[in-house]
Amino acid sequence: MRHFTRNRSRGFARAAVVLLPCLLLLSACKGGGEGEAQAKAGEDKKGPEAVPVEVAKASRRAVAASYTGTAPLEPVAESQVVAKTSGVALNVMVEEGQPVRAGQTLVRLDSARSQLQAAQTGAAMRKLEANYNRAKQMADQKLLSANDNDQLRYDLENARAANRLANLELSYANVEAPISGVIASRSIKTGNFVQINTPIFRIVDTSRLEATLNVPERELVTLKAGLPVALVVDALPGKTFQGTVDRVSPVVDSGSGTFRVVCSFKGEGILQPGMFGRIKIDYDQRADALVVPRVALLEDDGDPAVFVVTGDKTKRVPVKLGYMDGSWAEVRDGVKEGQQVVVAGKTALRDGSVVQVLGQPQAKKEVASVAKPETNKK
């Protein structure tokens, strides 16, 4: 009987040894599952991750309504200087880039032949003048018929015309500038033989330059002569030149649906013909307009809108736009002064998105702590 009880006690001890690890394992598994669930619940309480954005406040400033375009600069006056007579260039007196005035001699041609013709016709003219003076006295004394007297007068007039023509040809030996300006090109050298009607110089007047815009017909009622114009050229970065609208064509081209607007600028010795310029014509101004940065406007196919930040969330707000002035957009309705609009990070936003404004401290959020599983005290 004692032997049986001793064996039975040993069996219970062995069973306890086997069951104890199993119970510990089950307890660990249960505790681990509860920990993971609590961690997941904590993460859910954090909410969606905030989108980093940059904002700007709607403010007031002066804006201008303007039309912009591009056009090359052209001189108001330009001339191709040609030789009006043939001859050898004895002296070329100007170089490219040199300013000249109207009537200034540019080159002297060989004029020996022209001088001889002028002298010959001059002598013939003086001879006929003497004959006509004597014939006039004889006609007064009734010693010469009226017909002979008239013939001498006609011959004298013809000789005078021939002499004037010879002197004109002689003057062509000195090639003169027809307009004031700058020598843009020279195609002659000293000693060259110049043919008649050959272009030898190109003169451009750089004192005043023009730029012609082909403007859509919808702007016909807004663009008028006398409006101020601002010009920026690629060749002179950082400089702005002021001008005016010189004239506006009243006729709209039926093929292109545009009309010509000619803007005028002073050369000032800096602007040159052929420079490519960006032109801005201001036709209206508002001194106290509510504006937002132009980059705040949403670039989609819908109506104009911006994202307004309230607290830590965004709201898509449709806006009514006014004038566009450079990097600013006038807002006529939809946004109030001082409201923050998103200027960077718009592509990742939706209506109601949670955002973090860069450059501002982030609001602290309470995060639920994950409870650790309690261990059974033995």
Side-chain angles (χ1 to χ4, degrees), residues 53-329:
V53 296
E54 293 182 7
V55 298
K57 290 184 178 181
S59 58
R60 293 191 175 274
R61 57 167 288 150
V63 294
S66 60
Y67 177 83
T68 58
T70 57
L73 294 176
E74 300 176 353
V76 175
E78 181 177 352
S79 176
Q80 289 282 356
V81 182
V82 299
K84 297 181 180 180
T85 187
S86 300
V88 177
L90 300 179
N91 188 10
V92 179
M93 307 175 68
V94 292
E95 299 290 342
E96 291 181 349
Q98 180 177 337
V100 295
R101 63 183 185 278
Q104 179 178 339
T105 300
L106 306 179
V107 60
R108 288 192 176 93
L109 303 178
D110 180 15
S111 60
R113 182 182 294 274
S114 298
Q115 288 176 349
L116 290 175
Q117 290 179 346
Q120 184 178 9
T121 56
M125 179 188 67
R126 288 188 293 272
K127 178 181 178 181
L128 287 173
E129 284 177 346
N131 292 338
Y132 177 70
N133 290 333
R134 287 192 296 268
K136 188 176 180 181
Q137 293 177 359
M138 295 176 65
D140 293 339
Q141 298 173 5
K142 307 296 182 180
L143 299 176
L144 185 68
S145 66
N147 185 39
D148 292 340
N149 186 53
D150 290 341
Q151 183 62 45
L152 286 173
R153 180 166 58 85
Y154 295 148
D155 291 342
L156 176 60
E157 291 178 354
N158 187 44
R160 286 173 175 172
N163 181 251
R164 287 195 296 270
L165 179 60
N167 287 323
L168 182 62
E169 289 290 334
L170 179 61
S171 68
Y172 288 162
N174 293 333
V175 181
E176 298 179 349
I179 62 172
S180 298
V182 177
I183 301 295
S185 63
R186 187 192 73 172
S187 57
I188 184 177
K189 295 180 180 179
T190 300
N192 292 160
F193 181 79
V194 181
Q195 293 283 357
I196 188 172
N197 295 329
T198 300
I200 54 179
F201 294 102
R202 176 171 168 259
I203 301 176
V204 294
D205 183 3
T206 59
S207 61
R208 196 164 69 97
L209 301 173
E210 292 181 342
T212 302
L213 296 173
N214 293 315
V215 181
E217 58 182 317
R218 64 177 178 271
E219 305 289 347
L220 186 60
V221 296
T222 59
L223 300 185
K224 304 295 182 182
L227 289 175
V229 181
L231 170 70
V232 177
V233 294
D234 295 338
L236 302 170
K239 294 185 178 180
T240 302
F241 301 89
Q242 303 299 323
T244 57
V245 176
D246 187 69
R247 55 192 183 275
V248 177
S249 173
V251 179
V252 177
D253 183 79
S254 59
S256 61
T258 61
F259 64 100
R260 289 164 54 89
V261 176
V262 181
C263 304
S264 177
F265 305 91
K266 291 183 179 180
E268 301 177 354
I270 302 176
L271 293 176
Q272 299 297 331
M275 287 184 174
F276 194 81
R278 292 176 173 83
I279 298 169
K280 178 183 175 184
I281 305 174
D282 294 335
Y283 57 84
D284 193 12
Q285 289 187 345
R286 291 196 178 109
D288 188 30
L290 181 63
V291 298
V292 296
R294 202 164 181 171
V295 292
L297 301 177
L298 300 183
E299 300 174 353
D300 52 25
D301 297 332
D303 295 333
V306 296
F307 277 120
V308 175
V309 177
T310 304
D312 62 347
K313 291 187 178 181
T314 60
K315 182 179 180 182
R316 180 188 174 101
V317 177
V319 294
K320 181 179 179 182
L321 298 178
Y323 293 152
M324 297 290 182
D325 187 2
S327 61
W328 299 99

